[in-house]
Amino acid sequence: MTLSLFNSLLHRLTSLSPPLLYAATWTTILTMTVAVASISPEIAFVSAISPASAFSRRCGAPDSVRVPIDSPAEIFCFPAHMFRRSKLDLMVPPVFAAVIVAGSAFAVRALGLWEADEEIS
């Protein structure tokens, strides 16, 4: 009973406004792309500084911070006073998210996913 109600509701919604369905679908896809692109650098950083990582060893100098670089064999230690919050910390994440959204939109457009719809009308 519930399945037939869901199917009839889905059929009614898709027949009434296909552009709304397309917009909702692409909004979901773009949102997921932004979520993956935004969270992956954080996951990489957290895994790099985890206790099991080779990056998390202590530096030889006191009051210094080891910075993760591409190779675990390279050791870069910087004085702790060089690391502090800045005003750019508030600006970089929204700008990065905007660039990812724009890139996703251009990728969807480059794939030509709407070309078949435009040729029919």
Side-chain angles (χ1 to χ4, degrees), residues 15-39:
S15 65
L16 289 177
S17 56
L20 181 63
L21 182 64
Y22 292 149
T25 302
W26 286 113
T27 300
T28 303
I29 291 171
L30 289 174
T31 302
M32 295 304 293
T33 304
V34 168
V36 169
S38 296
I39 198 75

Side-chain angles (χ1 to χ4, degrees), residues 9-78:
L9 183 62
L10 183 64
H11 178 66
R12 186 174 293 173
L13 286 175
T14 57
S15 65
L16 289 177
S17 56
L20 181 63
L21 182 64
Y22 292 149
T25 302
W26 286 113
T27 300
T28 303
I29 291 171
L30 289 174
T31 302
M32 295 304 293
T33 304
V34 168
V36 169
S38 296
I39 198 75
S40 58
E42 293 178 28
I43 292 173
F45 182 75
V46 167
S47 68
I49 63 171
S50 70
S53 174
F55 289 121
S56 65
R57 289 179 284 176
R58 290 184 177 220
C59 291
D63 294 332
S64 60
V65 176
R66 184 175 179 164
V67 178
I69 307 293
D70 292 335
S71 173
E74 297 176 3
I75 298 173
F76 289 101
C77 295
F78 295 98

Side-chain angles (χ1 to χ4, degrees), residues 85-99:
R85 288 196 171 266
S86 70
K87 294 183 181 190
L88 285 177
D89 291 342
L90 297 174
M91 294 299 297
V92 171
V95 170
F96 177 72
V99 168

